Amino acid sequence: YYGVQCCLAIFEGRKSDIKRVFVSHDNEEVFDHVLSWAHRRNVPYRIVSDEELARVSSTEHHEGVCLEARPLELLTPAALVRKVSDLQRGVLLLLEGVENPHNVGAILRTACFFGVDGVLLQSKNITNLSGAACRIAEGAAEHLPIAFTQDYGPTFAALKQRGFSFVATTPHQARSIYSVKWPNKFVLMFGTEGTGLSEAALELADLRVVVPRVGPLESLNVSAAVSSIL
């Protein structure tokens, strides 16, 4: 894990998962409390150059810190359903096939800021959050209920039984986000930028919404669309 806010959030929320700490000379003061903790707990730590941090973290975008830590424990889809079962009002996000770590990270940050109750990521290729996604999320991944799935059908059936509606974001046969009556609790669905939501997702939707455009471009970057609608 790397990035200042990401690593600070890990330290605040699950410091027992940290195995090693690498901090640049420029960040010694910012992470002084982390280094003091590591010293007291005999957790290996090093003050290193930016070049060595780039080697350890495999990126130039480390922001002067890298933690070796156990992977973030994500929820199963069933556990996510249980977590939101008793909500009277709430919003979940479904990201269908959204895999770019910069988009995923930006969406998690926005979702956390607006108090989204959980995020379900559907992908056939990834099953966990990358270091890049966690850095872009600025610590949000440590606070949000997050689950990965390859097939969201069973999860949607369980959410439907618990009173959730499904809102698809699409420019096709959709109503403006300003003209609809929003359900008390719903799953807000976003697809990939290239193809949007699948036909299967659109068929599940109780409502289709769109951000009304003013300029000539048809669509927003998916993370910008999430921000606009939330």
Side-chain angles (χ1 to χ4, degrees):
Y1 294 96
Y2 49 90
V4 171
Q5 295 304 321
C6 172
C7 291
L8 287 175
I10 291 171
F11 180 74
E12 291 302 319
R14 53 187 183 100
K15 56 174 65 76
S16 61
D17 285 348
I18 298 173
K19 299 178 180 179
R20 285 198 298 172
V21 180
F22 299 88
V23 175
S24 71
H25 296 283
D26 291 339
N27 265 351
E28 280 188 72
E29 185 174 344
V30 175
F31 285 90
D32 180 67
H33 63 302
V34 178
L35 297 173
S36 297
W37 167 85
H39 179 72
R40 292 194 305 271
R41 296 300 181 91
N42 292 317
V43 174
Y45 67 93
R46 290 180 59 193
I47 312 298
V48 296
S49 65
D50 285 341
E51 290 75 20
E52 184 163 357
L53 263 176
R55 182 184 62 78
V56 170
S57 62
S58 300
T59 179
E60 299 289 336
H61 305 293
H62 48 69
E63 297 180 6
V65 61
C66 178
L67 300 181
E68 180 185 339
R70 294 182 184 88
L72 175 65
E73 187 173 340
L74 303 177
L75 297 179
T76 64
L80 180 61
V81 171
R82 289 194 296 271
K83 193 169 186 67
V84 301
S85 288
D86 296 330
L87 291 178
Q88 298 303 306
R89 297 181 64 85
V91 180
L92 298 178
L93 294 186
L94 167 73
L95 307 181
E96 184 188 47
V98 178
E99 298 174 351
N100 180 294
H102 291 84
N103 283 336
V104 171
I107 289 168
L108 294 179
R109 181 179 181 180
T110 300
C112 189
F113 179 86
F114 282 114
V116 164
D117 297 290
V119 180
L120 181 65
L121 295 106
Q122 182 274 330
S123 173
K124 297 187 183 304
N125 301 311
I126 57 176
T127 58
N128 214 321
L129 296 173
S130 68
C134 291
R135 178 184 71 84
I136 297 295
E138 295 280 349
E142 301 295 325
H143 299 288
L144 278 170
I146 300 169
F148 275 83
T149 185
Q150 289 193 358
D151 176 13
Y152 53 76
T155 305
F156 270 32
L159 289 169
K160 191 78 170 178
Q161 289 179 342
R162 288 158 176 81
F164 278 82
S165 299
F166 305 106
V167 180
T169 58
T170 174
H172 307 296
Q173 299 178 330
R175 297 170 60 188
S176 163
I177 59 172
Y178 302 113
S179 68
V180 299
K181 178 175 174 56
W182 292 88
N184 283 333
K185 53 184 184 180
F186 58 95
V187 180
L188 191 54
M189 302 185 287
F190 294 86
T192 61
E193 289 178 42
T195 57
L197 286 166
S198 66
E199 284 300 319
L202 292 173
E203 288 175 7
L204 285 169
D206 301 294
L207 182 65
R208 296 184 181 195
V209 299
V210 65
V211 179
R213 65 186 170 111
V214 177
L217 296 184
E218 183 182 80
S219 64
L220 292 165
N221 168 278
V222 64
S223 67
V226 172
S227 297
S228 299
I229 294 177
L230 289 181

